[in-house]
Amino acid sequence: AEKNLKLEEKITVLQQQNEELRARIEQNTVITRQLSEENANLQEYVEKEVEEKKKLSRTNEELLWKLQEGDAVSPVKLPPPSSTSFYRCSSGNTSPAKVRTLRR
């Protein structure tokens, strides 16, 4: 009878631990879902930002090329490309693919 009593107490303790673990698993599942959703949203945001950066880079290269070729729409006479301060060529080459912009 004493052995049965101890076993029943142990069963009760184990059942409580089991319930606590199930609650923790459920909580972790909810958190995992939230983090997965947030991660997906952040990945989508990063992809959009990368595409926007590429678009701006292409536009910048095109505008720099137009400036270098003298095709600028502005009637103002611009100084030669080597003396402008808002961009710098990464090498001596002035082709649009080699132009690197400086951050302001």
Side-chain angles (χ1 to χ4, degrees):
E2 189 176 318
K3 188 174 183 177
N4 277 347
L5 186 59
K6 286 185 180 184
L7 289 174
E8 286 177 7
E9 288 175 4
K10 191 169 187 174
I11 288 173
T12 303
V13 168
L14 290 173
Q15 286 174 337
Q16 289 173 347
Q17 288 177 346
N18 192 18
E19 288 176 26
E20 290 171 6
L21 290 173
R22 286 182 192 270
R24 287 175 61 187
I25 288 171
E26 182 63 32
Q27 183 180 14
N28 286 342
T29 301
V30 169
I31 291 171
T32 300
R33 284 186 192 132
Q34 290 172 344
L35 290 173
S36 293
E37 186 176 325
E38 184 178 350
N39 186 39
N41 290 338
L42 289 171
Q43 285 179 341
E44 184 178 331
Y45 173 77
V46 166
E47 288 173 13
K48 287 179 182 178
E49 288 293 315
V50 165
E51 287 304 313
E52 183 65 21
K53 184 178 178 182
K54 286 179 184 178
K55 180 180 173 186
L56 290 171
S57 180
R58 285 190 302 267
T59 301
N60 189 42
E61 287 183 13
E62 181 182 333
L63 291 171
L64 289 173
W65 183 81
K66 286 181 179 182
L67 280 174
Q68 290 173 358
E69 294 298 311
D71 292 339
V73 180
S74 172
V76 176
K77 182 74 175 166
L78 295 173
S82 62
S83 65
T84 55
S85 62
F86 62 90
Y87 71 92
R88 178 187 321 166
C89 294
S90 60
S91 68
N93 192 342
T94 57
S95 67
K98 297 288 184 181
V99 173
R100 182 180 63 192
T101 59
L102 297 175
R103 294 183 183 201
R104 289 187 175 191

